Amino acid sequence: MRVLVTGGAGFIGSAIVAAALDRGHDVRVLDSLRDDVHGGDPAIDPRVDFRRGDVRDDAIVREALEGVDVVCHQAAKVGLGVDFSDAPDYVSSNELGTAVLLAGMAAAGIRRLVQASSMVVYGEGAYIGSHGATRPAARRVEDLDAGRFDPLDDDGGPLAPALIDEDAPLDPRNVYALSKLSQEYLASSWSRSTGGVAASLRYHNVYGPGMPQNTPYAGVASLFRSALEREEAPRVFEDGRQRRDFVHVRDVAAANLAAIDWTERAEGSRAFNVGSGIVHTIGEIAERLSEHSGGRRPVVTGEYRLGDVRHITASSERLKTEIGWAPLVSFEDGMREFATAPLRAAARRA
């Protein structure tokens, strides 16, 4: 089977490529090698049919799709961005890029898609309040400035965080989140129009060897690890008690291969959470990385980013039940490995 992996030279994409090659698949990669993702030309496995190009380029996409059986779409601009001036690039890279790819797939008769989505489409996570399940409004600046980080229910009472599943209401709260949800809607429209099968994998916090370092678009695990590499203390925002689900990149790659198999027997378009199902705090991540690397202890700053949510943790039961995937890398083993694993060269600001 020939698999096209867009963004296959990136952090997650390259892990998917390695797993697909190990499975004996014929792998083609389309990647633009853009500067704000790559700090230099990455090493490409010689078994890969590598094509350098942008998914927004119709001619390049159609050429890359020739002879392909299934597309694994990882190419995207990721992260919360630096400020709203990033918005046009997010919309163009993620929404237009996906539209061009799907149009090319429709023309080529390719009917199987697995694509990267994100937990950010939910906004805040799931909570239980005095009146049952609820979703709080976005946090207020005055509360954050005063160090009141946890959202409250309508009566001002405390909310208990819970695991979020794919049927929860969607509430994207930044441009990146909007662009990822748009990708899901585009895949759903493509599926209805062509009879194709699409799996949108809502990644939670992915970490592992090969993460890019020192970039404002990277995940928090990479930022902590990069600080330790510079012999600096990791800076933990808020009070460090934000709850997240950290999933190892090899488990994410395995989820993509399982979803590729699923597209052979399924119908329509479906979203799946990809997470470990185990809750950890941001402060705990920083502590573990410091401990395992022998580096400086984290510093809790009380700072915040307005676009961040307080708690979001995944239920990946749908992925386990319907596709047969389960994470294999434990939190302790993954953090111990990641604390000293090589990072990618620092990406350059585009």
Side-chain angles (χ1 to χ4, degrees), residues 206-269:
V206 185
Y207 75 97
M211 286 191 85
Q213 61 176 305
N214 299 339
T215 165
Y217 303 98
V220 67
S222 174
L223 298 178
F224 291 161
R225 176 71 176 76
S226 297
L228 291 164
E229 187 95 349
R230 299 190 302 268
E231 299 184 350
E232 298 174 1
R235 294 177 59 81
V236 180
F237 279 17
E238 301 186 18
D239 58 4
R241 297 176 184 171
Q242 309 94 303
R243 292 159 57 102
R244 295 292 188 270
D245 187 321
F246 285 81
V247 58
H248 196 279
V249 68
R250 289 196 296 272
D251 284 332
V252 173
N256 275 270
L257 292 192
I260 285 172
D261 293 341
W262 174 85
T263 62
E264 226 174 355
R265 63 181 187 270
E267 296 179 352
S269 178

Side-chain angles (χ1 to χ4, degrees), residues 100-114:
V100 171
L101 176 67
L102 291 172
M105 291 175 64
I110 299 168
R111 298 292 182 260
R112 297 168 61 194
L113 171 72
V114 175

